């Protein structure tokens, strides 16, 4: 293998390790917060707005997880600089003040935002980690945690240094697992396809399979 190839493999292994470590930190922190404050659905009243819930999620998670608060554009680049791995730009990543932003003790920048698929308040936070119905997982989620492994530094690209986890009523899961079939979340469409509407569809593959093979082939699927 050539030196550039070796460097690429080393970089991918380092990325996989950091994604897994970040997932572990957030997963354990959210689990402790749930033990302390109850299931996520009891943390706030979404009729008062998702922004208030985003802050409550941040407050409860920060009580159980070492993190340092950070401003929107101090730790994330502007939304215009983020792109998917096919080069399409203008992906909204921590684009405004509705995100609660912090840096974990491993250097990963995170943005917490309450919300659910299609924004239907009546469906908010009704689903758990064991929900298998794809539509219910999408519409019944509680929010998401978008992570940028190296903050404002490049490449600011989905599936390379940008990943996402989904908050459910009873815990945290990587986005893009086999059960995530809605096109904006699925591995096949959002990671392997050229969707520019969201981020994070590659995360489940990285966490479960421990590699970034989606960068090197166009025919992966669960």
């Amino acid at each position: 293998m050539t030196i550039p190839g070796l460097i690429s493999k080393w970089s991918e292994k380092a990325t996989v390790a950091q994604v897994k470590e970040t997932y572990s930190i957030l997963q354990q922190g959210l689990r402790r917060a749930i033990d302390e404050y109850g299931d996520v659905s009891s943390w706030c009243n979404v009729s008062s707005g998702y922004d208030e819930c985003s802050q409550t999620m941040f407050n409860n998670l920060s009580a159980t997880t070492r993190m340092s608060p950070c401003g929107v554009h101090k730790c994330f680049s502007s939304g215009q600089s983020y792109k998917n791995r096919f080069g399409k730009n203008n992906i909204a990543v921590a684009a405004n003040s509705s995100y609660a932003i912090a840096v974990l003790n491993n250097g990963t920048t995170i943005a917490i935002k309450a919300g659910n698929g299609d924004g239907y308040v009546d469906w908010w936070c009704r689903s758990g980690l064991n929900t298998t119905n794809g539509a219910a997982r999408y519409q019944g989620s509680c929010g998401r945690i978008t992570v940028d492994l190296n903050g404002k530094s490049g490449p600011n690209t989905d599936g390379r240094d940008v990943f996402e986890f989904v908050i459910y009523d009873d815990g945290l899961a990587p986005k893009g697992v086999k059960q995530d079939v809605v096109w904006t979340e699925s591995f096949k469409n959002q990671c392997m396809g050229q969707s520019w509407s969201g981020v994070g569809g590659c995360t489940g593959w990285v966490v479960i399979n421990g590699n970034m093979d989606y960068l090197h082939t166009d025919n992966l699927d669960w």
Side-chain angles (χ1 to χ4, degrees):
M1 184 176 288
T2 62
I3 290 178
L6 288 171
I7 292 173
S8 176
K9 279 294 184 183
W10 177 86
S11 177
E12 288 177 25
K13 287 183 178 180
T15 297
V16 169
Q18 189 172 350
V19 171
K20 287 188 171 185
E21 180 185 49
T22 299
Y23 177 45
S24 179
I25 291 170
L26 295 172
Q27 182 186 43
Q28 292 178 39
L30 187 62
R31 182 69 260 169
R32 290 192 294 268
I34 290 171
D35 289 342
E36 178 72 21
Y37 303 107
D39 289 344
V40 177
S41 57
S42 68
W43 288 6
C44 61
N45 182 357
V46 293
S47 62
S48 300
Y50 285 125
D51 290 359
E52 180 180 325
C53 287
S54 298
Q55 191 60 51
T56 301
M57 287 179 174
F58 176 83
N59 293 342
N60 290 354
L61 185 61
S62 64
T64 62
T65 308
R66 292 179 59 190
M67 60 174 69
S68 302
C70 191
V72 175
H73 297 308
K74 290 183 178 179
C75 290
F76 280 89
S77 291
S78 67
Q80 297 296 318
S81 68
Y82 286 94
K83 57 188 180 295
N84 71 10
R85 61 192 187 83
F86 301 99
K88 293 185 178 180
N89 295 313
N90 304 331
I91 297 177
V93 175
N96 54 56
S97 59
S98 64
Y99 293 80
I101 296 174
V103 180
L104 299 178
N105 62 351
N106 71 342
T108 299
T109 301
I110 69 169
I112 302 173
K113 184 172 176 58
N116 57 318
D118 296 331
Y120 295 135
V121 172
D122 289 344
W123 278 92
W124 180 77
C125 220
R126 287 191 174 191
S127 295
L129 294 171
N130 293 327
T131 300
T132 57
N133 181 278
R137 287 176 66 86
Y138 174 66
Q139 294 184 330
S141 59
C142 308
R144 61 187 186 272
I145 303 178
T146 308
V147 308
D148 188 328
L149 300 183
N150 55 7
K152 298 181 74 171
S153 300
N156 295 332
T157 299
D158 183 40
R160 290 185 179 272
D161 60 342
V162 179
F163 299 88
E164 194 160 271
F165 302 96
V166 182
I167 301 171
Y168 293 99
D169 196 24
D170 58 350
L172 190 73
K175 186 176 179 180
V177 296
K178 185 176 183 179
Q179 298 91 333
D180 293 332
V181 297
V182 175
W183 73 273
T184 58
E185 296 191 322
S186 76
F187 172 77
K188 181 177 181 180
N189 289 314
Q190 203 280 305
C191 181
M192 296 303 295
Q194 296 191 26
S195 167
W196 52 266
S197 63
V199 300
C202 303
T203 312
W205 186 274
V206 173
V207 170
I208 293 171
N209 293 308
N211 63 59
M212 300 173 70
D213 287 355
Y214 53 82
L215 297 176
H216 309 292
T217 182
D218 59 2
N219 62 356
L220 287 181
D221 199 357
W222 290 108

